[in-house]
Every structure is written in structure tokens, then in C-alpha cells.
Amino acid sequence: MAMLHFAITGGEVIPEIEMPMFATILDLKERIEEILDVDVVRQTLNFNNQVLTNDQTIGHLNLGPFAALALVVTPLAGQPKFNILVKYINEEINIRVKEATLVVDLKRKLERRCGILIEKITLHRLSKEMEDDFPLSAYYVCEDSEVEMTTKIEPR
């Protein structure tokens, strides 16, 4: 079975996905939802500035064996707060955030909640280190997303 490989660009996390030629764009969006936790209805995929429709078959797009598709995620209306799960060693910490919350602001919340200095906190989403000046949306952080926290603790 012939497969196509896709790099999904548009955020700081760039997953690579393999799909069969007979799959539709909707199938690809469902796979993106599994990986990034972004609802299908919020996703728009573009190739060469052309919007791809859900019913298009991947094999009919003439993309070649490896293609970069741009993912645009429609922001949540009204910028509501939602819960995410921050995993730290054996702890799971529920935090309320907005998509526009900056990574540094999430670190500040964790500093207050856990008593760990902000400069000692490192956050990862889908194995990608999160940079302070980016909004959480750049890492596809949505309702119930998981973020990993590590700390730099120096020996005494």
C-alpha cells in the first residue's frame, strides 16, 4: 500500500504523519486530532496556499511522497478558560488557562502552585520544549491537553 508522509506545520510542534493514498483530508484531520488534541472542526489544512477540503483524497492531490501542510487552528470564541493537565514526576496538576496564555505565565502559575522558582521550570508539549514568549496555542494546547514539567534542581 502506497503511503504519503506529511509534516504538519503552523505551530512550534511539527508532527510527521504517514497516511495511505486512499485516505481523505478528513481522515488526516482525525489523525491530527489524535496527536495534537485539536478538534477536527477547528482545523484548516492548506497546501501551497490552497485550502484542502475534507472530501479530497490524498492520492488525488499530487503532493509527492512527502509534503508539508500548513495547519491553521480556529481560535476558541471569546477566549474561554479551560483545564490542562501538567505532569510533574508523580503529580498531575490541573491548571486553568486560555489559548492566548503565554508559556511564561503558565510557569508563573506553576511557581505559585508548586513553590518552584520559575527559572527552574521547563515545560514540554509533545516532546517539544516550550519557549516563554509563545502563547500556549503555538503548542496546540487545548482543553485537557497534557504538558510535561521538569525542574532544574541543583545539588547542595
Side-chain angles (χ1 to χ4, degrees):
M1 169 178 19
M3 302 290 277
L4 289 176
H5 300 271
F6 297 96
I8 307 301
T9 65
E12 292 301 303
V13 176
I14 303 175
E16 291 188 9
I17 299 173
E18 185 177 69
M19 296 293 290
M21 299 279 281
F22 61 81
T24 63
I25 294 301
L26 179 59
D27 296 329
L28 177 58
K29 287 181 177 181
E30 288 169 348
R31 182 72 181 116
I32 291 168
E33 181 175 11
E34 289 173 18
I35 295 169
L36 299 179
D37 300 325
V38 176
D39 293 334
V40 167
V41 295
R42 296 181 61 205
Q43 298 177 35
T44 301
L45 286 172
N46 297 292
F47 180 70
N48 288 340
N49 296 319
Q50 179 183 5
V51 175
L52 304 178
T53 61
N54 288 344
D55 61 342
Q56 288 178 291
T57 304
I58 291 169
H60 289 107
L61 296 174
N62 297 320
L63 301 175
F66 188 85
L69 301 181
L71 173 63
V72 177
V73 177
T74 303
L76 293 171
Q79 283 292 317
K81 285 189 172 185
F82 53 86
N83 289 318
I84 64 169
L85 186 65
V86 178
K87 292 189 169 190
Y88 175 60
I89 305 176
N90 294 326
E91 288 184 65
E92 293 187 344
I93 306 160
N94 283 301
I95 302 276
R96 291 189 59 74
V97 296
K98 295 181 178 183
E99 288 179 316
T101 299
L102 294 179
V103 171
V104 70
D105 294 327
L106 175 56
K107 286 182 175 181
R108 284 186 187 111
K109 285 184 176 201
L110 290 164
E111 178 182 49
R112 287 191 302 272
R113 175 85 63 94
C114 302
I116 300 168
L117 295 175
I118 193 171
E119 58 269 10
K120 304 283 187 193
I121 296 173
T122 302
L123 299 175
H124 290 84
R125 169 87 170 119
L126 302 168
S127 302
K128 173 81 173 169
E129 185 173 335
M130 300 170 75
E131 296 181 34
D132 287 351
D133 297 333
F134 285 96
L136 297 179
S137 61
Y139 298 94
Y140 304 111
V141 174
C142 302
E143 176 85 35
D144 298 325
S145 289
E146 292 182 4
V147 172
E148 300 282 334
M149 179 172 84
T150 57
T151 55
K152 301 173 199 122
I153 306 295
E154 298 170 9
R156 295 181 181 201

